[in-house]
DNA sequence: TCTGGGGTCCTAGGACCC
DNA sequence: TCTGGGGTCCTAGGACCC
């Protein structure tokens, strides 16, 4: 048996923890650059703010409902996530953090426990210790636990905990009848309409569809999803965090950029982040990909998009070496006369440090030691304390964050003062 | 003229997730 | 005027091997 524990409207709830005036008020959180809505409180959902909608399309709605708007504050959300996960981990010997705000928990061997009661205890403790509201879904497979969590969230009769495995079959069937396929984990906006063509409209029909037909038409992923709905486990709990397979750092710019030197400054910054991530995973890379493009949305503007693979002369996680390669790449794909909106760098293959071939003529220890020092200083003094000169030169690419809340939990001066 | 069968590896693109 | 960022997995097709 598995539980899926998921924070309700996570980013909005984080904002509310430190500003009680936000309780009962519609709240939305925006993507980087204040572009799209990526989190909505229940009040905002009820008012009709769609997920991922560009914010300019709902400006009126936001205004007329007096909604509170926040820029993404990942320093805050990341720290709150860490806290919530550590509380949840107290309830199970094996957990798998699935995303920033949700976690699978193994409940095997707990059949003697009243699991609905147990779910309520999880909710109560996470709320008391972090201030975050969660819902708990319990089922015999990951897909069923996700489905149970959806019911726990959307249907008040469950009071935040839904245990599908203890439910009479007729009740389960009725709930699944009432669940469109698009709401199921793994069925997205392309697959749902195609399923409909076959007369498969809800979770129950998907569960009961012949596996061979599903596999042939949609591939193994949909077939597995169907089996999981029937209680056959196809996706295992991964209690050991899997090492990342690639690293991507990219940002849209706060404003359009036209000059190579501005793009280079942004790229240098992304390279630094990427190299930091690389070192944090004890990995090396010997090639990278740089990509750049103009607006994808404005049909009246000349478009340009390009990317390039660059070999790095040696396996490294030294930001200076990676930066040289990335700069050369950008210079070769940069075309003047365009208004660029985004640049990014990808490290598509990560080589664990221990597995790397030694360099016969390189003395890499000096560079490695410098990078360790840089990481230590930036950890202690704050990101960007030590930086590539090229990354510090320009700031025109920096993203818009017009409504950023304080970093309540990770920055001394941002601590909440209880009494002024 | 007539041109097999089985396999691997790589890449690009699609679909999905949060 | 204004549209995020970071991932994973699967598949199809091409190149190549014997």
């Amino acid at each position: 048996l598995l539980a899926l524990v998921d924070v309700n409207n996570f980013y909005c709830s984080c904002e509310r923890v430190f500003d009680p005036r936000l309780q009962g008020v519609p709240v939305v959180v925006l993507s980087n650059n204040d572009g799209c809505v990526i989190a909505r409180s229940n009040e905002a959902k009820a008012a009709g703010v769609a997920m991922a909608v560009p914010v300019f399309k709902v400006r009126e709605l936001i205004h007329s409902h007096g909604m509170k708007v926040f820029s993404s504050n990942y320093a805050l959300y990341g720290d709150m996530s860490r806290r919530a996960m550590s509380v949840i981990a107290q309830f199970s010997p094996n957990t798998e953090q699935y995303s920033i705000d949700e976690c699978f928990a193994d409940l095997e061997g707990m059949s003697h426990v009243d699991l609905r009661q147990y779910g309520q205890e999880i909710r109560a403790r996470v709320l008391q210790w972090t201030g975050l509201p969660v819902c708990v879904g319990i089922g015999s497979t990951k897909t069923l636990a996700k489905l149970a969590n959806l019911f726990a969230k959307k249907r008040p009769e469950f009071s935040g905990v839904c245990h599908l495995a203890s439910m009479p079959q007729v009740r389960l069937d009725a709930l699944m009848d009432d669940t469109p396929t698009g709401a199921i984990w793994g069925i997205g906006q392309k697959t749902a309409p195609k399923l409909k063509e076959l007369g498969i409209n809800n979770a129950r029909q998907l569960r009961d569809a012949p596996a061979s037909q599903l596999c042939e038409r949609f591939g193994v992923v949909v077939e597995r999803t169907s089996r999981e709905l029937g209680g056959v486990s196809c996706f295992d709990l991964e209690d050991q965090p899997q090492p990342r397979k690639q690293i991507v750092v990219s940002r849209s710019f706060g404003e359009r950029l036209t000059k190579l030197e501005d793009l280079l400054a942004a790229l240098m910054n992304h390279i630094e982040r990427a190299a930091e991530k690389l070192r944090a995973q004890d990995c090396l890379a010997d090639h990278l990909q740089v990509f750049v493009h103009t607006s994808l949305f404005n049909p009246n503007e000349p478009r340009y998009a390009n990317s390039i693979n660059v070999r790095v002369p040696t396996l490294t996680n030294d930001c200076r070496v990676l930066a040289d390669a990335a700069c050369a790449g950008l210079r070769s794909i940069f075309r003047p006369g365009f208004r660029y909106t985004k640049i990014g760098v990808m490290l598509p293959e990560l080589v664990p440090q221990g597995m790397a071939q030694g360099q016969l003529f390189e003395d890499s220890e000096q560079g490695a030691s410098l990078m360790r020092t840089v990481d230590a200083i930036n950890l202690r003094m704050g990101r960007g304390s030590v930086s590539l000169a090229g990354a510090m030169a320009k700031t025109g690419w920096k993203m818009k964050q017009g409504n950023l809340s304080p970093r309540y939990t990770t920055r001394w001066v941002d601590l909440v003062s209880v009494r002024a």
Side-chain angles (χ1 to χ4, degrees):
Chain A
L1 273 185
L2 289 171
L4 180 76
V5 186
D6 185 315
V7 183
N8 306 346
N9 314 323
F10 178 54
Y11 296 170
C12 291
S13 297
C14 287
E15 299 293 345
R16 276 182 174 163
V17 170
F18 297 94
D19 188 350
R21 290 169 302 181
L22 300 173
Q23 297 294 343
V25 177
V27 176
V28 297
V29 176
L30 307 183
S31 62
N32 279 339
N33 253 322
D34 294 344
C36 301
V37 173
I38 54 168
R40 307 156 293 156
S41 71
N42 287 344
E43 299 82 0
K45 288 177 188 173
V49 179
M51 183 58 183
V53 68
V55 67
F56 73 89
K57 287 189 179 174
V58 286
R59 192 84 66 190
E60 198 47 44
L61 207 52
I62 287 171
H63 208 78
S64 62
H65 285 76
M67 296 186 190
K68 299 294 180 191
V69 178
F70 291 90
S71 306
S72 289
N73 185 345
Y74 286 103
L76 176 63
Y77 310 150
D79 190 57
M80 293 301 287
S81 169
R82 208 179 37 70
R83 297 178 185 206
M85 294 301 155
S86 75
V87 177
I88 296 165
Q90 298 170 348
F91 289 88
S92 164
N94 290 313
T95 57
E96 173 193 342
Q97 183 174 347
Y98 175 67
S99 75
I100 194 168
D101 76 323
E102 60 188 302
C103 177
F104 288 104
D106 193 351
L107 300 179
E108 218 46 68
M110 290 193 190
S111 42
H112 59 287
V113 181
D114 178 344
L115 288 177
R116 265 174 308 199
Q117 178 57 37
Y118 199 61
Q120 291 298 351
E121 288 169 25
I122 297 175
R123 297 186 72 214
R125 196 183 299 175
V126 176
L127 183 65
Q128 186 174 359
W129 290 19
T130 70
L132 295 169
V134 301
C135 284
V136 179
I138 300 169
S140 56
T141 65
K142 281 184 165 180
T143 305
L144 286 169
K146 288 281 283 187
L147 191 60
N149 190 276
L150 180 74
F151 296 147
K153 278 219 172 76
K154 303 282 170 177
R155 296 172 184 258
E157 66 265 31
F158 289 114
S159 309
V161 178
C162 173
H163 183 1
L164 288 183
S166 71
M167 191 175 278
Q169 188 67 37
V170 279
R171 176 111 195 271
L172 177 59
D173 286 352
L175 280 170
M176 287 182 136
D177 270 332
D178 206 25
T179 304
T181 56
I184 300 163
W185 187 48
I187 306 298
Q189 50 182 354
K190 301 283 183 183
T191 306
K194 289 192 210 156
L195 285 168
K196 188 160 262 175
E197 288 170 19
L198 294 183
I200 300 171
N201 297 299
N202 59 48
R204 184 179 175 185
Q205 288 168 340
L206 182 61
R207 178 193 70 188
D208 297 338
S212 56
Q213 185 192 17
L214 291 176
C215 185
E216 196 185 325
R217 288 275 308 248
F218 303 99
V220 296
V221 180
V222 173
E223 185 200 341
R224 285 180 191 147
T225 297
S226 165
R227 288 185 191 278
E228 284 235 323
L229 286 173
V232 179
S233 176
C234 301
F235 306 121
D236 290 337
L237 188 83
E238 285 168 8
D239 42 4
Q240 301 294 2
Q242 297 301 105
R244 291 266 162 270
K245 294 177 178 169
Q246 59 173 33
I247 289 172
V248 182
V249 179
S250 73
R251 292 282 181 283
S252 295
F253 307 133
E255 52 198 59
R256 302 284 192 267
L257 298 182
T258 56
K259 286 186 283 188
L260 175 62
E261 50 181 312
D262 288 336
L263 294 185
L264 281 170
L267 181 61
M268 291 304 91
N269 189 277
H270 299 350
I271 283 285
E272 276 185 342
R273 294 287 89 73
E276 262 175 32
K277 291 186 185 185
L278 200 54
R279 296 194 291 271
Q281 291 173 39
D282 291 321
C283 282
L284 306 167
D286 65 358
H287 60 283
L288 54 80
Q289 205 176 322
V290 177
F291 62 91
V292 72
H293 62 74
T294 57
S295 172
L296 302 172
F297 301 101
N298 188 344
N300 305 317
E301 219 183 299
R303 290 191 186 190
Y304 176 68
N306 206 349
S307 73
I308 187 171
N309 281 303
V310 193
R311 292 212 70 81
V312 183
T314 166
L315 268 174
T316 188
N317 55 25
D318 186 322
C319 63
R320 300 167 302 168
V321 181
L322 295 168
D324 281 346
C327 280
L330 176 58
R331 286 178 194 281
S332 75
I333 58 172
F334 175 81
R335 299 283 175 276
F338 291 99
R339 299 169 70 230
Y340 292 91
T341 55
K342 184 173 180 176
I343 195 167
V345 62
M346 195 183 311
L347 305 175
E349 243 166 281
L350 312 183
V351 180
Q353 207 140 25
M355 281 165 58
Q357 293 281 340
Q359 295 292 316
L360 190 50
F361 300 112
E362 286 279 320
D363 177 16
S364 58
E365 181 45 35
Q366 209 179 350
S369 143
L370 175 65
M371 287 300 119
R372 277 195 295 273
T373 306
V374 168
D375 286 338
I377 293 173
N378 283 337
L379 179 66
R380 177 137 179 216
M381 311 297 288
R383 174 170 285 174
S385 298
V386 181
S387 181
L388 289 168
M392 303 171 86
K394 297 270 171 182
T395 54
W397 55 273
K398 291 217 165 134
M399 59 191 182
K400 283 186 222 157
Q401 289 185 307
N403 301 282
L404 193 59
S405 53
R407 281 167 273 177
Y408 296 110
T409 64
T410 53
R411 201 163 174 251
W412 287 109
V413 297
D414 286 353
L415 287 185
V416 173
S417 66
V418 176
R419 251 184 100 192

